[in-house]
Amino acid sequence: MKRTSLAAFIILASAHAVSAEVAAPANATAAPFRVSKSVELLTGDTWRDRGKLYRLYGVQSCLRGTIALDANGKKLDCGNASLAHLAALFSTAAVTCQPIALALDKATFVVCGAKLDGNTIDVGTALIAAGYAFAATDQKGNAVSANYLVAELNAKMKADGLWAMKFSHPIELLLRRAGERKQ
């Protein structure tokens, strides 16, 4: 769990660091690529493919090792629920990603589209709208993507996915941890 928590903190810290660079990514010539079916999923927003680390830009999955409680009080690992939904999307759709920036931990931030039934959907929006991921924020708690924030608020209002359960929001946990480290 420490590894995941550290990675999640790096995601939060690095989101702000790259938000100004999105218009001019570190490698402006990086071509879109197809995600292989043999990816190693690390979290609901991060994976390793062909030896490289990738992270969905603007997306924060639930933290692995944190608990969500359903209406009957049944516990489930919130992070594993996020990961399962990313796995389902990757296994059922052709996913193509565009690198946009490098994170401080050398992961490549990407935006991805999934081709389903002839339509291409944004992977981040799909995960967030289903209620199994959240809009990432910068260090001040401001959403990195307004579109993702709208998708999150809609999922919350409809009680979709994890929003039908009780859980600790990952952004709140990450911001709290960041504040504790500053003290």
Side-chain angles (χ1 to χ4, degrees):
M1 184 170 115
K2 280 189 176 181
R3 181 176 170 193
T4 302
S5 297
L6 177 59
F9 177 72
I10 291 169
I11 293 168
L12 178 68
S14 59
H16 178 69
V18 298
S19 61
E21 298 176 24
V22 171
N27 182 0
T29 62
F33 65 93
R34 190 111 181 239
V35 175
S36 75
K37 295 295 182 183
S38 61
V39 297
E40 174 191 3
L41 297 176
L42 304 174
T43 69
D45 60 31
T46 304
W47 67 93
R48 192 175 318 281
D49 192 9
R50 301 176 198 114
K52 293 181 102 179
L53 187 64
Y54 296 98
R55 184 169 301 123
L56 288 171
Y57 181 76
V59 177
Q60 175 61 59
S61 66
C62 213
L63 304 180
R64 293 182 79 186
T66 59
I67 300 299
L69 295 173
D70 70 11
N72 298 320
K74 181 181 175 189
K75 294 180 182 181
L76 76 117
D77 184 303
C78 196
N80 285 344
S82 286
L83 189 145
H85 279 78
L86 180 63
L89 190 58
F90 277 12
S91 69
T92 59
V95 177
T96 302
C97 299
Q98 174 64 55
I100 59 167
L102 285 178
L104 296 176
D105 66 352
K106 304 297 185 217
T108 300
F109 277 115
V110 293
V111 291
C112 302
K115 191 128 184 154
L116 290 168
D117 299 327
N119 297 310
T120 302
I121 60 168
D122 178 75
V123 171
T125 301
L127 294 169
I128 295 167
Y132 288 96
F134 310 93
T137 68
D138 61 21
Q139 294 168 327
K140 294 179 182 176
N142 299 314
V144 173
S145 165
N147 291 338
Y148 287 169
L149 180 59
V150 169
E152 179 177 331
L153 293 173
N154 283 331
K156 182 178 181 179
M157 285 188 325
K158 295 189 293 186
D160 286 338
L162 293 166
W163 291 109
M165 304 178 195
K166 292 183 181 181
F167 66 96
S168 295
H169 195 292
I171 298 298
E172 292 170 7
L173 293 172
L174 294 169
L175 289 172
R176 188 176 324 129
R177 289 178 190 166
E180 290 169 0
R181 285 192 171 99
K182 285 183 178 180
Q183 295 176 8

